[in-house]
Amino acid sequence: MQVNTPTLNDGSYGDSISGGWRMLAIAGAVVGLIGLLAVAFPVVTGLSLTIGLGALLVLSGVVHGAHAVTTRGWSGSLWQFALAVVSVIGGIVLLANPVLGLVTLTLVLVAYLLVDGVAELWMAMRMADRPGRASIAVSGVVSFVLAGLLWAGFPADAAWAFGLLVGVSLFMTGLSMSVVAISGRNADESTPPAAEPRGA
């Protein structure tokens, strides 16, 4: 006689969360802690992100340039070389003047917050009446509000607002992840243990 056991793909939201709520809670705590640190040191956060992006652009340009040189017969080598030059120049500009780079990154942050808000609101709509829906929806609304505030004060407050808003957004994301994890833990604890099969 075949015994049917429930799977994580049976459409039950509670079952899918209860299995991994611990990892989700840890990830949410880490993201939230990083957000608090960014809020505490907004200027340092903004400059660090700008310098990090500049270094990544230079590294990316070197990789593209090496690829263009080693594959000269490839039809896209010219495009790779042009991309390498643009990446290296952009990275050097950010490294040489990270404060000016913050102004550009502020515009990128506005776009990111808008996309993040749309994604989280769409996710909340898809969750119907499932646990954690409200916290994710609030996180999406906060992203929209932060994008509007950042755009309203641009470019005067770009030096500190970039790091501050990144920190707030990360904290809200971590908080929403933690709320969903707690809901999954409660569902896990409220689920009665499965009855053991009788012996033959």
Side-chain angles (χ1 to χ4, degrees):
M1 177 178 176
Q2 183 179 2
V3 178
N4 294 326
T5 57
T7 63
L8 296 179
N9 297 323
D10 61 355
S12 175
Y13 178 78
D15 290 344
S16 63
I17 292 296
S18 63
W21 68 265
R22 290 180 180 86
M23 291 303 299
L24 184 61
I26 293 173
V30 171
V31 172
L33 179 59
I34 294 174
L36 288 177
L37 291 175
V39 170
F41 307 100
V43 177
V44 175
T45 299
L47 293 176
S48 300
L49 291 174
T50 304
I51 294 173
L53 179 60
L56 287 176
L57 286 175
V58 172
L59 179 60
S60 174
V62 171
V63 171
H64 283 293
H67 185 263
V69 171
T70 56
T71 56
R72 293 182 178 179
W74 183 47
S75 59
S77 59
L78 181 60
W79 169 252
Q80 287 285 330
F81 184 76
L83 185 60
V85 172
V86 172
S87 297
V88 170
I89 292 176
I92 292 175
V93 169
L94 290 179
L95 291 174
N97 194 345
V99 175
L100 180 61
L102 274 177
V103 176
T104 303
L105 289 181
T106 301
L107 295 177
V108 175
L109 177 60
V110 172
Y112 162 77
L113 289 173
L114 290 175
V115 173
D116 181 67
V118 171
E120 291 191 312
L121 289 177
W122 177 81
M123 185 185 304
M125 292 175 60
R126 299 265 300 178
M127 291 176 66
D129 295 329
R130 295 168 181 171
R133 179 189 183 190
S135 63
I136 294 178
V138 169
S139 178
V141 172
V142 169
S143 294
F144 276 119
V145 173
L146 293 177
L149 292 175
L150 186 58
W151 179 256
F154 182 83
D157 54 2
W160 59 267
F162 182 80
L164 177 65
L165 295 185
V166 167
V168 172
S169 180
L170 287 175
F171 176 75
M172 292 301 299
T173 299
L175 181 62
S176 65
M177 292 170 63
S178 298
V179 170
V180 173
I182 292 173
S183 301
R185 182 194 64 180
N186 294 336
D188 193 17
E189 293 176 350
S190 62
T191 302
E196 296 184 358
R198 297 180 180 178

